[in-house]
Amino acid sequence: MDMTEKRKLFESIVPQYSEKLYWAIRRIVLCHDDADDVLQNVFIKVWNGIDDFQNRSKLSTWLYRIAVNESLDFLRRKRNVASLDMSDNLSVANRLEADQYFDGDRVQALLQEAIASLPDVQRVVFNLRYYDEMKYSEISQLLETSEGALKASYHIAVKKITAFMKEHQ
């Protein structure tokens, strides 16, 4: 693919997928600024890897895989960095309510806290299935795991979220 074709393809991808990918990332990393940073990294990886995309999966699956992997890598790096920031001591719900970009109510903030309390894989599976309404077959390709394992992860995630919400209301 020559540079002109690459640029045209990339320029069609960015506006078509920016918002969807942003929200997929945001539900994993929670903070607007972090989501913007991760999204930027995703598009850098897309630009660098677009020549290698081989159409073995749908373009959206490839993009979501990059976004999910970048989000999880971001969380791993964040956990490994010792932070003295006092806001880290606040609950997820309190941080979201203080975020100028969060437009939900207390129940939605608690839901996000419940989701944030899930292990990474359960959180990703829940978000992709519940918010992005992806089919298990798509998530299976994206995460390279069986549909049965995904269904189990989703079911367990729903039970944990339900228990969390009951406990905090």
Side-chain angles (χ1 to χ4, degrees), residues 2-15:
D2 70 20
M3 189 57 79
T4 303
E5 292 173 320
K6 181 177 180 177
R7 181 173 286 119
K8 282 183 182 179
L9 179 58
F10 185 76
E11 288 174 352
S12 72
I13 289 171
V14 172

Side-chain angles (χ1 to χ4, degrees), residues 9-148:
L9 179 58
F10 185 76
E11 288 174 352
S12 72
I13 289 171
V14 172
Q16 183 177 357
Y17 289 97
S18 287
E19 187 172 353
K20 291 175 187 176
L21 293 175
Y22 168 83
W23 284 108
I25 294 164
R26 174 80 187 263
R27 286 188 286 272
I28 296 170
V29 303
L30 299 178
C31 173
H32 166 75
D33 291 335
D34 293 341
D36 270 352
D37 291 346
V38 172
L39 182 61
Q40 183 176 8
N41 290 341
V42 167
F43 282 127
I44 290 169
K45 286 201 172 193
V46 168
W47 173 260
N48 290 333
I50 207 163
D51 291 325
D52 299 326
F53 179 67
Q54 299 172 355
N55 286 322
R56 281 188 269 156
S57 63
K58 293 190 319 186
L59 178 64
S60 61
T61 302
W62 181 65
L63 295 170
Y64 270 90
R65 179 178 294 147
I66 294 169
V68 167
N69 288 336
E70 279 298 302
S71 299
L72 294 175
D73 287 347
F74 172 83
L75 291 178
R76 285 185 206 103
R77 285 190 307 271
K78 190 173 180 177
R79 279 189 209 117
N80 290 333
V81 174
S83 175
L84 299 176
D85 184 2
M86 294 304 284
S87 68
D88 284 345
N89 294 328
L90 296 174
S91 72
V92 170
N94 289 338
R95 280 188 276 156
L96 281 173
E97 288 176 330
D99 185 338
Q100 68 182 13
Y101 297 101
F102 180 72
D103 61 358
D105 60 14
R106 182 73 181 161
V107 173
Q108 290 170 322
L110 283 172
L111 173 61
Q112 292 307 312
E113 185 163 341
I115 294 169
S117 71
L118 297 172
D120 291 343
V121 173
Q122 287 177 8
R123 182 174 359 152
V124 168
V125 170
F126 180 84
N127 284 331
L128 292 173
R129 181 78 178 131
Y130 182 79
Y131 289 109
D132 296 319
E133 299 177 347
M134 279 191 180
K135 296 176 183 172
Y136 287 114
S137 59
E138 290 177 275
I139 301 170
S140 175
Q141 281 187 331
L142 189 130
L143 299 179
E144 299 176 336
T145 190
S146 73
E147 288 183 40

